[in-house]
Amino acid sequence: MLPPRQGLMDYREHWRGRERYTVFDSAFGDGSAVRALIGTWRQDPERPQRLHIVALADGLLPGFHRIPQADPNVTLDLLANPFESALAQLLARIDFIRLHGIADAGAGFARALARLASSDAILHAEGLTLEQIGALTGQGFAFEASRQTGALRARFASRKPRPPLPPSPSRRAIVIGAGIAGSAACERLCARGWHVTLVERHPRPAMEASGNLAGIFMPLLSRDDSIPTRLTRAAYLYALRYWEQLGGIGDAIEGAACGVLQLARDAEHAQVSRAIAREAHFPREFAEWLERDAAEALLGLPAPDGAWLFRQGGWARPGSVCEAMLAACGARLEQRFGVGDVQLERVGDEWLVRDAAGAELARAPNVVLAGGAGATRFAQAARLPLTAIRGQVTHLPAAMLPPLPLVLCREAYLTPESHGIRSAGATYDLDSERELRESSQLENIDKLRALVSDPATAAGAPLAGRVGFRCVAPDRLPLVGRLPDFESAGTTERLRDVPRHPGLYSLLGYASRGLIWAPLAAELLAAQIEAEPLPLAANLVDALDPARFVLRARRTSRGVTHTD
C-alpha cells in the first residue's frame, strides 16, 4: 500500500493515539494492498480502535459498495466512479492518502481531496504530473520530497480551518420498534460496541409489516439510473453480502436465493428493458434480459414480452432476518417486548421512554425511531409526512398453483412453495382495515392469473393471508438520519442548517423494500452517528435525510412544489 519501510512507519506513528483512522487509495487493484494494511493494523498493539479504508475499484457496478468485513472494527468502501466525481460525492475525513495510477485524471480532483483531508493528513503519491503536484500544493499539501514524477510524500498543511469532528458519542441507545428496521439498527450499533435497549409494544419481533411469510429481494432498474435505482442497487448488493455474514439465506435465514423473474408488462416495457440491457452491460449474475423463448424455457409458463432474470434475487421470511440480526447482537442488547404504546421525553442530556402508565422503561442519550408510520405518534416526529398503506397478502395452497423454480413478479409477485404455502400479492389499499377481506383477495388472484396466464388458477381458494401496513413517504424513499426540529427551522434553506433534535434519529419509510433497504440504512445511520466515512454517495445521503421535508414544506407554502 505504501513505499517500503517509510510507509509502514508512517502508518504506525501516524495513527497512534487515535480512535479511528481512515485511509484512501486511488486504486484497489487486486486487494492485496488492502489486506496488507489490515494485517499491519491487527499486529500493532497501539492501533486505533477502528480502521476505515476507501478505495477506487474497477469491475463493479456503478456507485459506492460497502463490503462487510469479518472484523466489525474494519470497514471497506469500494467506489466504482470516476476519480474526481467519486471524491466529490465522498463524505469522509481522510487521514492517509495514496495516489497512484492517476496521471490521466487531470488536476481538478485536488480541491475535492483537500476538502476531505484531515488537518494533518499524509499523502503518498506515485506518478503524479507536474500539473497535479502544483494543484495539490495550491490546496495546502506541502511536499517534502523533490517535485518529480516518482514517489512523493506530502503533509496536508492548509491554513483553512477544518470543521472539527464531533465528539465520540455516548454509545448507549434505545431503538423503538423490533421490525426489520429496528432489528438492523440494533445489530449495526451493537457491532460497534454500543449497548442498546430494544423497545417493542408487541410480545415478539416482526409482528407488523415485517411479519409476512415471504418478502422478495431484487434490484430496481431504470434507464436514467435514478436516485431510487441507485439507492436500491447499493442496498441490494450490501444486503446480499450482509446476510452471508449472518449465516446466509436458506440457513440462518429462512428463504431461498432461487432467483427472481420479472415479466415485462407489455411490448413497450420490453423495448425499454432491451435498451437498458444494451446500455448498462450488467453482469449476468446481477441482471439479464431474456427474450420470450428463453424466459418461457426457464419458467415453463408464458412470458410473451420477455423478462428480467435476477439470479441473485429470491425470497426470505423477514421475521427470520430480524431473529438473525437480534441474535448477532449478543449481550450488548437488552430486549423489552410487550410494553404497549410508549411515551418519549427529553430530560437533561437523555431520552426517557415510558409506558402508558408513566413507568420508565429505558433511558439513553440516543433514540432511534424504527416503528414505521406509528412513529408519528411521538411529538418530535408528528410532522413527518408518513402514510400507512395497507397491504393484503394472499396465502394459497401450493397444490393450487403451477410449480415455480423461482420468484415470479410483475404488478404482483408469487413465491415458490414454503411449508405448503405460496404467497401472492400484495395490495395497496388506502384504508386501515386489519381483517382479511374478499375484495383484496380477488384483486391478488386476478393479478396472479395474469402473471401465470391462466384465468382458472386459484379458483375457489380459501380466504387466507395476512394484512400489514407499509410506512411510505411522499417520494417513496426512506428517512435515515437525525430528526429535524420543524418548530425551530425558521427560514433555513439548506439541509445542513436545519436544526435537529439532539440524539434522535429515524429509520422510517421503507415502503415495500424494507427487506433490502434495512441493512444499508442501519449501516448508514450508525456511520453518521459515529462520524465515520459514509457508505453512500453524498447526493443519496441527502435524498434520505428526514430534514428534506422541512425544506419541501417551506417551498410548498411559498407556492413552489418541485422537489430537490
Side-chain angles (χ1 to χ4, degrees):
M1 190 113 187
L2 298 174
R5 296 186 184 181
Q6 184 184 28
L8 183 61
M9 185 168 294
D10 282 341
Y11 274 135
R12 291 181 170 175
E13 291 182 357
H14 196 234
W15 69 29
R16 284 175 184 166
R18 302 177 190 239
E19 185 175 0
R20 61 174 61 93
Y21 195 79
T22 301
V23 176
F24 174 83
D25 194 323
S26 62
F28 179 71
D30 62 3
S32 58
V34 164
R35 290 190 292 273
L37 168 59
I38 294 173
T40 299
W41 172 79
R42 285 178 178 152
Q43 293 166 14
D44 186 354
E46 299 182 69
R47 65 182 178 271
Q49 175 71 24
R50 294 186 62 81
L51 174 65
H52 306 275
I53 304 169
V54 183
L56 267 65
D58 298 322
L60 297 172
L61 287 161
F64 287 25
H65 299 253
R66 176 146 293 185
I67 313 298
Q69 302 295 299
D71 189 328
N73 289 315
V74 179
T75 60
L76 173 61
D77 290 320
L78 300 182
L79 314 186
N81 297 80
F83 182 41
E84 188 171 344
S85 63
L87 291 176
Q89 289 296 319
L90 180 61
L91 295 171
R93 187 68 63 85
I94 300 171
D95 302 301
F96 196 101
I97 302 161
R98 186 192 177 205
L99 301 181
H100 58 116
I102 62 165
D104 297 330
F109 69 87
R111 182 183 182 91
L113 192 63
R115 175 184 64 84
L116 298 169
S118 64
S119 58
D120 63 344
I122 290 176
L123 180 149
H124 273 269
E126 302 167 26
L128 295 185
T129 66
L130 291 176
E131 181 188 15
Q132 289 170 336
I133 294 170
L136 288 165
T137 301
Q139 291 295 328
F141 288 93
F143 285 86
E144 299 175 2
S146 61
R147 296 185 179 184
Q148 301 172 356
T149 56
L152 297 172
R153 184 182 188 277
R155 186 175 291 272
F156 189 62
S158 173
R159 295 182 180 179
K160 295 179 182 178
R162 302 275 90 186
L165 280 174
S168 297
S170 175
R171 292 183 172 89
R172 294 184 295 115
I174 302 164
V175 173
I176 301 178
I180 199 83
S183 299
C186 291
E187 194 281 324
R188 289 291 75 206
L189 290 172
C190 287
R192 287 167 165 80
W194 284 56
H195 292 272
V196 178
T197 302
L198 174 61
V199 176
E200 168 58 52
R201 66 191 186 96
H202 292 297
R204 60 181 184 274
M207 291 194 68
E208 290 285 345
S210 300
N212 288 343
L213 293 183
I216 67 173
F217 53 93
M218 56 184 279
L220 175 67
L221 307 180
S222 66
R223 196 169 184 182
D224 63 353
D225 206 30
S226 62
I227 282 178
T229 300
R230 282 180 277 144
L231 170 65
T232 303
R233 180 171 63 237
Y236 170 73
L237 294 172
Y238 179 79
L240 294 180
R241 300 175 182 121
Y242 174 78
W243 293 332
E244 281 300 310
Q245 285 208 316
L246 291 178
I249 301 289
D251 292 313
I253 296 169
E254 182 181 346
C258 54
V260 176
L261 192 70
Q262 183 183 32
L263 299 178
R265 293 188 298 272
D266 49 36
E268 183 180 354
H269 183 214
Q271 195 63 26
V272 172
S273 296
R274 292 185 189 101
I276 293 172
R278 285 194 306 270
E279 296 162 7
H281 303 291
F282 293 125
R284 185 168 176 265
E285 66 274 12
F286 177 76
E288 181 182 7
W289 172 253
L290 302 181
E291 293 294 350
R292 174 177 181 170
D293 288 349
E296 291 183 347
L298 175 63
L299 184 60
L301 294 170
D305 296 302
W308 282 105
L309 174 60
F310 305 112
R311 284 184 169 82
Q312 297 169 304
W315 69 274
R317 182 171 65 83
S320 71
V321 181
C322 294
E323 292 158 10
M325 291 189 291
L326 295 178
C329 294
R332 291 192 177 97
L333 178 65
E334 178 184 357
Q335 303 179 57
R336 304 292 302 273
F337 288 104
V339 300
D341 291 334
V342 297
Q343 307 165 31
L344 181 65
E345 62 178 294
R346 184 77 173 174
V347 177
D349 294 331
E350 292 190 313
W351 291 97
L352 269 64
V353 175
R354 302 183 188 275
D355 65 17
E360 182 178 318
L361 296 173
R363 66 167 62 205
N366 305 285
V367 170
V368 179
L369 301 183
T376 56
R377 294 194 303 266
F378 300 111
Q380 298 83 357
R383 293 182 61 180
L384 295 176
L386 298 174
T387 303
I389 304 292
R390 181 182 185 272
Q392 181 170 318
V393 177
T394 296
H395 296 162
L396 296 164
M400 298 188 74
L401 298 162
L404 287 180
L406 36 60
V407 176
L408 182 62
C409 67
R410 191 166 51 199
E411 289 87 357
Y413 65 83
L414 176 64
T415 65
E417 176 184 351
S418 176
H419 305 293
I421 297 295
R422 308 275 288 278
S423 294
T427 61
Y428 268 74
D429 305 318
L430 298 176
D431 63 78
S432 58
E433 175 60 59
R434 289 188 169 270
E435 298 301 318
L436 293 172
R437 63 183 179 219
E438 190 70 28
S439 61
S440 294
Q441 165 111 334
L442 294 175
E443 179 183 338
N444 284 335
I445 290 177
D446 283 345
K447 291 179 180 178
L448 170 63
R449 288 170 175 168
L451 199 60
V452 300
S453 300
D454 182 354
T457 290
L463 179 60
R466 186 178 186 279
V467 173
F469 291 85
R470 312 168 184 91
C471 177
V472 182
D475 56 10
R476 297 298 193 270
L477 293 176
L479 283 68
V480 181
R482 282 184 65 189
L483 275 182
D485 185 345
F486 280 85
E487 305 304 324
S488 303
T491 58
T492 304
E493 293 290 346
R494 297 181 299 183
L495 279 174
R496 68 188 182 193
D497 296 330
V498 174
R500 315 286 176 133
H501 291 289
L504 186 58
Y505 306 89
S506 71
L507 290 171
L508 301 167
Y510 288 4
S512 298
R513 297 187 181 272
L515 189 62
I516 59 173
W517 279 351
L520 184 58
E523 176 70 4
L524 170 62
L525 181 62
Q528 288 175 324
I529 297 172
E530 288 274 7
E532 299 170 0
L534 300 190
L536 278 175
N539 56 1
L540 295 182
V541 174
D542 287 349
L544 305 185
D545 192 329
R548 67 191 188 267
F549 295 111
V550 173
L551 306 188
R552 292 176 191 182
R554 180 172 301 109
R555 291 167 187 170
T556 301
S557 70
R558 295 200 304 258
V560 180
T561 58
H562 68 269
T563 58
D564 293 334

